[in-house]
Amino acid sequence: MSALDMVRQEERRAELLARLAEVRGVMFDIDGCLVLSDGPSGHGGRVLSGAREVIDLVRATGRSMAVFTNGSMQTTGRIAETLRSLGLDVRDEEVLTPAVVAAETIRTRHPGQPVLVFGGPGVQGEFRQRGIPMVDLDRAIAGEPTGAAAVVIGWDTGFGRDKLQVAAEAVLAGATIYCTSDAPSFASEHRLNVGVSGFIASGLSHVTGRPYRVLGKPSREALDLLAGRLRVRPEQMLIIGDDLDLECAMARSAGALGFLVTTGTSSAADAAAASPDRRPDFLADGLTEVLDLLALASRQGRGRTTSTGEEGDDVGQRQRGS
């Protein structure tokens, strides 16, 4: 590396630390970031090193926080309960799922109109909670016209031919297809944790010839909801996750800081080869390094504010800029 390259690298490091000190809201992914398991949203899993401590630091520094999974099988309350049982300080209202995004989106775009919703309690509960009219699936399968304005595809492991028939008829009659997440898989401990929603939506699109809209990460709808929950502007957010295509892409699209931890789906080699629209600002082996860097940025930020000139220690954090 040339002397000029070294200077530029140090300048980039200083710029990123300054931006990190200005972060007011932090989003954590769950699977492969906070927890590693073979079940959905941390169920039956183990907490990854540094997870408890970095959440505590976010709270101690007065930043807002959210955990955002792309899974839609469980309700937000159940996810929060699972994480608390593992020792993570997560409140019910801090949990976001694609089902929450879908319900908020449908309520805005199709107010008062009936919707065909496929998925378990984690999906249907969000629609029911907001009073959104849902088509009675049994009556629709029996042949009753649905009049659905939208078809929402969530985690539905019982989706078979009857449901496909009803969904296809609704779409061909004019309903819009929404998918909670089309991620092909999620980080897991031992076995491949395959995605379901995208598989179904792709099949429905194949049958009908109509496209579908993804509402989970990294969609604009998900980003807007996240910023609202964190009560910050997108450029004041730090988005931490294990997937270049989900968390890092969402951070890039928003102008937020993106932090990739290589404890889940994407590796350091993947990050090095990533296109600019998916490239993380920071790269770490795990949340312990995230904790060190956030602490360093906070100390340096306080030093600038109080003009004490307080210096932080070099934590050896690896960074990747654009």
Side-chain angles (χ1 to χ4, degrees):
M1 180 184 296
S2 70
L4 181 59
D5 286 338
M6 291 178 65
V7 169
R8 286 173 176 166
Q9 186 177 64
E10 286 304 309
E11 289 176 347
R12 178 60 173 162
R13 173 185 171 82
E15 175 193 338
L16 288 173
L17 281 173
R19 284 194 62 195
L20 193 57
E22 298 301 318
V23 163
R24 303 312 309 149
V26 180
M27 188 216 88
F28 296 96
D29 179 42
I30 297 178
D31 295 305
C33 179
L34 293 174
V35 179
L36 202 57
S37 70
D38 291 324
S41 303
H43 184 70
R46 62 181 176 88
V47 175
L48 291 170
S49 179
R52 296 184 182 95
E53 294 82 0
V54 75
I55 288 175
D56 290 344
L57 178 62
V58 168
R59 295 208 186 285
T61 54
R63 296 176 170 101
S64 56
M65 187 190 88
V67 297
F68 196 160
T69 176
N70 242 21
S72 62
M73 181 177 179
Q74 296 180 319
T75 64
T76 54
R78 180 59 190 276
I79 292 170
E81 182 182 336
T82 295
L83 296 177
R84 287 194 295 269
S85 74
L86 295 172
L88 297 175
D89 181 15
V90 176
R91 300 157 191 166
D92 288 12
E93 65 273 15
E94 292 173 332
V95 179
L96 291 175
T97 72
V100 176
V101 183
E104 291 289 343
T105 300
I106 295 300
R107 182 167 64 174
T108 300
R109 294 183 185 171
H110 307 282
Q113 297 178 284
V115 183
L116 256 176
V117 181
F118 295 96
V123 180
Q124 300 214 13
E126 296 296 337
F127 282 76
R128 194 170 294 113
Q129 179 182 324
R130 290 164 177 79
I132 298 170
M134 291 186 288
V135 173
D136 185 295
L137 191 55
D138 290 335
R139 291 165 64 179
I141 289 174
E144 184 175 307
T146 66
V151 174
V152 178
I153 303 296
W155 187 282
D156 188 342
T157 56
F159 195 96
R161 187 184 185 282
D162 286 346
K163 291 183 177 180
L164 176 61
Q165 179 79 31
V166 169
E169 288 172 348
V171 171
L172 291 174
T176 304
I177 310 173
Y178 296 98
C179 177
T180 56
S181 170
D182 66 350
S185 61
F186 304 88
S188 59
E189 181 83 91
H190 299 108
R191 300 187 64 185
L192 180 67
N193 197 0
V194 297
V196 174
S197 310
F199 176 80
I200 298 171
S202 296
L204 180 58
S205 181
H206 172 74
V207 169
T208 61
R210 307 292 167 80
Y212 62 88
R213 173 73 182 173
V214 176
L215 295 176
K217 296 178 290 186
S219 73
R220 185 72 208 187
E221 292 88 346
L223 175 65
D224 289 344
L225 181 64
L226 174 63
R229 287 292 182 93
L230 291 175
R231 304 181 302 283
V232 299
R233 298 189 304 274
E235 62 270 21
Q236 295 175 306
M237 293 192 302
L238 173 64
I239 295 176
I240 306 171
D242 69 302
D243 196 314
L244 290 166
D245 294 325
L246 300 180
E247 292 83 34
C248 294
M250 186 161 72
R252 279 291 176 193
S253 70
L257 282 174
F259 209 133
L260 180 73
V261 289
T262 58
T263 44
T265 299
S266 300
S267 67
D270 295 331
S275 58
D277 62 338
R278 298 160 55 248
R279 190 175 301 155
D281 295 293
F282 298 94
L283 175 68
D285 291 331
L287 288 173
T288 299
E289 293 180 70
V290 179
L291 173 67
D292 290 341
L293 195 57
L294 268 175
L296 174 60
S298 296
R299 290 197 300 271
Q300 291 190 350
R302 287 197 303 271
R304 285 193 299 273
T305 300
T306 61
S307 301
T308 61
E310 182 181 356
E311 294 289 338
D313 296 330
D314 183 359
V315 296
Q317 174 66 41
R318 291 178 292 131
Q319 301 172 16
R320 296 294 183 271
S322 57

